[in-house]
Amino acid sequence: ILSMSERKVFGSHMADKAVTIEASEDCDGKAGIFLVNFANGQLLPSVKNKPKFTLYRKKNDQTKRRRIMVAETDQLSYVGTNYDAESTTAGANTCKYYIGALDKQSSTMSLHRAELISLRPCIPGLTHTDLAAEGASPSKADYRTNFEQLVTSFGSEKAKRVHAAHERNKVESSALEGALATAVTHVQTEVEKAGVSQPQQNSGLIPAHNPAAEVPQDVYNLHDVVSLEEIRILKKTGKVFTKATVDDIASWRADERYPEYVLQHLSSLPTREPHRSLRAALLLYASFLIEMHRMNPRLFEKRGPKFVGEEPPPGVKDQLLMKFAERKGAEESHQRSYVLSSRMKDKILSHLFVLVLIIDDFVVDCATLQQDLKLTTSKVMDHFRALGCSVTKSAVKRKAGDDGIPLPSSCTANLKIPLSFPKLKKGPRKQRN
């Protein structure tokens, strides 16, 4: 390695005379000159700190080029190899290095193949002979194997029991991948049998919303609540609403055949088609959701859904059970039943409230709806807020009904841009004495 002063002399000498370059015997792939650097920094030049280098050849080496370099000083030992990724310098595997020795008298330079090795400090107490014999530090797998052998041979009874339990619970990666693949295939098959798309099957309790919507009409998609096929079927069944007279509505109210929310909207149906038939279909679907939410879970499980008013058409009823009820019983059993859990009731409320927002042009007076569902004002407000609505509680005291009982307070929900979702409150919990 040439210093800066030697390079200047070499450069001036090169300018005066022509130099002949000759390749040495080690340029054809044999081991040449090793250039080393110290990973922890350059050593201070001193007589006591002058390192002593030793080169070892790895046994059973098919390439016959693997070497282990050891440098010893009075304070510390260093070790490095020409094949370990941590010891070789970056870029050494992508290019070749050569060093030239110039004979100034004959103006001949001989090229020698050079290999770069990075020397790292060695742990005190471990000699270079041991490193040369081992060639590399033990891996985590080897350490684990040695530890298990020690436990098996010299461990306590408790340690041996823990080790035996660990061995019994080992799962091969190939077996785990096979089990996961089987489970995924089974789920996809079940979804295809049920006739439900994968996104719908994995959807949450609240219909998907568009956070980038610029108007309330673009926040929720109607077909995420009522599909096109369901609307087509409901338009045929909903003719009972489009042809309803004032006397029919009064009779339905007396018999409590339909929810009050639906009956109030029947008197103000659009006069033109197709808006009139679409509004009737949506009101009919809303009545199904209200009745389904009011059903007793125990009776629902024993007898199935029993609707007081209009019975849902077969295609609509199947979809209602699939979306808002949980199946109970084995897949092969013919005596399967449905369960109406509290979680599914919350899902019914979320879909119903999105539907009434669309019907009422995104401003809903919840008084009538709250009576039909028999819910508290706080629960209604919480559900509308979860949909991104701004909810205001009515400050006007409501008069008593026909039975003389004061009506509960209500609220008004307004879906407007930007959406207003509730924020999770984070704070220390109160300690109970």
Side-chain angles (χ1 to χ4, degrees):
I1 302 176
L2 302 178
S3 63
M4 293 299 296
S5 59
E6 290 173 334
R7 291 180 185 177
K8 294 180 181 179
V9 175
F10 171 73
S12 62
H13 185 79
M14 288 285 293
D16 297 337
K17 297 182 180 180
V19 176
T20 303
I21 300 177
E22 296 179 354
S24 61
E25 295 180 356
D26 54 17
C27 286
D28 57 356
K30 299 180 181 179
I33 300 176
F34 291 90
L35 301 180
V36 301
N37 72 301
F38 294 90
N40 62 332
Q42 187 176 0
L43 298 183
L44 296 176
S46 64
V47 178
K48 295 181 179 181
N49 203 33
K50 186 176 182 180
K52 178 184 178 182
F53 293 93
T54 308
L55 184 65
Y56 296 90
R57 177 180 175 181
K58 185 173 177 62
K59 293 182 179 180
N60 302 326
D61 182 18
Q62 297 180 356
T63 61
K64 298 182 181 181
R65 293 178 55 183
R66 294 191 174 187
R67 300 292 187 269
I68 300 174
M69 177 73 70
V70 177
E72 293 180 319
T73 63
D74 294 340
Q75 291 81 13
L76 195 60
S77 298
Y78 302 85
V79 64
T81 68
N82 64 344
Y83 56 87
D84 188 9
E86 294 183 355
S87 298
T88 54
T89 306
N93 296 327
T94 58
C95 59
K96 293 182 179 180
Y97 292 88
Y98 295 90
I99 188 170
L102 176 64
D103 187 354
K104 295 182 181 181
Q105 295 181 356
S106 61
S107 299
T108 302
M109 176 181 288
S110 58
L111 289 182
H112 301 268
R113 184 172 176 272
E115 295 191 27
L116 307 182
I117 296 180
S118 178
L119 297 180
R120 296 179 178 274
C122 182
I123 301 175
L126 191 61
T127 61
H128 66 275
T129 307
D130 299 331
L131 287 172
E134 294 294 333
S137 59
S139 62
K140 292 183 179 179
D142 296 336
Y143 174 80
R144 182 67 186 177
T145 303
N146 295 336
F147 178 77
E148 291 177 353
Q149 292 177 356
L150 288 174
V151 170
T152 306
S153 302
F154 307 102
S156 61
E157 293 298 329
K158 182 178 179 180
K160 290 180 180 180
R161 288 196 300 268
V162 172
H163 173 67
H166 176 74
E167 291 295 326
R168 289 195 302 268
N169 296 331
K170 275 187 177 179
V171 180
E172 296 292 338
S173 59
S174 58
L176 182 60
E177 292 177 0
L180 289 176
T182 304
V184 171
T185 305
H186 176 71
V187 171
Q188 292 177 350
T189 304
E190 293 298 320
V191 171
E192 293 175 359
K193 287 182 181 180
V196 184
S197 61
Q198 188 71 18
Q200 182 179 352
Q201 184 75 5
N202 296 332
S203 60
L205 302 180
I206 299 177
H209 73 282
N210 179 17
E214 298 181 355
V215 292
Q217 289 78 2
D218 296 338
V219 176
Y220 291 101
N221 188 358
L222 173 63
H223 302 312
D224 290 339
V225 180
V226 191
S227 64
L228 288 171
E229 181 63 20
E230 290 174 320
I231 291 177
R232 185 186 65 81
I233 299 174
L234 290 172
K235 282 184 177 180
K236 297 179 181 179
T237 312
K239 290 182 180 179
V240 65
F241 283 173
T242 57
K243 298 179 180 180
T245 61
V246 177
D247 295 335
D248 293 333
I249 297 175
S251 175
W252 291 339
R253 181 176 283 110
D255 298 338
E256 296 183 354
R257 183 176 180 83
Y258 296 102
E260 182 64 25
Y261 174 83
V262 175
L263 296 177
Q264 289 183 2
H265 284 71
L266 287 180
S267 58
S268 59
L269 285 177
T271 57
R272 296 183 179 182
E273 292 291 348
H275 303 289
R276 184 177 179 85
S277 58
L278 177 60
R279 179 63 60 84
L282 297 183
L283 289 173
L284 185 58
Y285 192 80
S287 69
F288 295 151
L289 294 180
I290 293 174
E291 284 199 52
M292 196 170 179
H293 183 271
R294 294 190 301 192
M295 292 179 184
N296 188 305
R298 293 183 179 180
L299 298 178
F300 186 93
E301 182 179 354
K302 292 180 180 180
R303 306 175 185 176
K306 300 295 181 180
F307 292 86
V308 178
E310 190 76 21
E311 185 74 14
V316 177
K317 186 175 182 179
D318 294 340
Q319 289 296 322
L320 286 173
L321 293 176
M322 188 174 299
K323 289 190 291 186
F324 303 112
E326 297 175 348
R327 296 181 180 182
K328 182 180 180 181
E331 181 70 25
E332 297 80 5
S333 176
H334 296 285
Q335 298 179 352
R336 301 180 65 190
S337 60
Y338 290 90
V339 179
L340 188 62
S341 62
S342 57
R343 180 176 180 272
M344 289 294 102
K345 282 199 170 188
D346 289 339
K347 185 176 181 180
I348 293 174
L349 285 182
S350 300
H351 285 68
L352 172 63
F353 288 171
V354 170
L355 184 59
V356 299
L357 281 171
I358 297 174
I359 294 175
D360 292 341
D361 200 16
F362 307 100
V363 180
V364 181
D365 183 4
C366 307
T368 307
L369 197 62
Q370 182 178 339
Q371 292 183 50
D372 290 334
L373 295 171
K374 299 179 180 180
L375 297 176
T376 60
T377 305
S378 60
K379 189 173 182 63
V380 174
M381 294 174 66
D382 291 341
H383 274 273
F384 272 109
R385 283 170 179 163
L387 299 175
C389 296
S390 300
V391 185
T392 55
K393 193 172 183 180
S394 177
V396 181
K397 294 184 179 180
R398 301 174 61 205
K399 298 181 180 180
D402 298 336
D403 52 3
I405 301 176
L407 298 176
S409 60
S410 185
C411 58
T412 302
N414 185 7
L415 185 67
K416 55 185 178 180
I417 304 298
L419 301 177
S420 175
F421 289 98
K423 296 181 180 180
L424 296 177
K425 296 181 180 180
K426 296 182 180 180
R429 296 182 177 180
K430 295 183 179 179
Q431 296 182 355
R432 296 182 179 178
N433 296 329

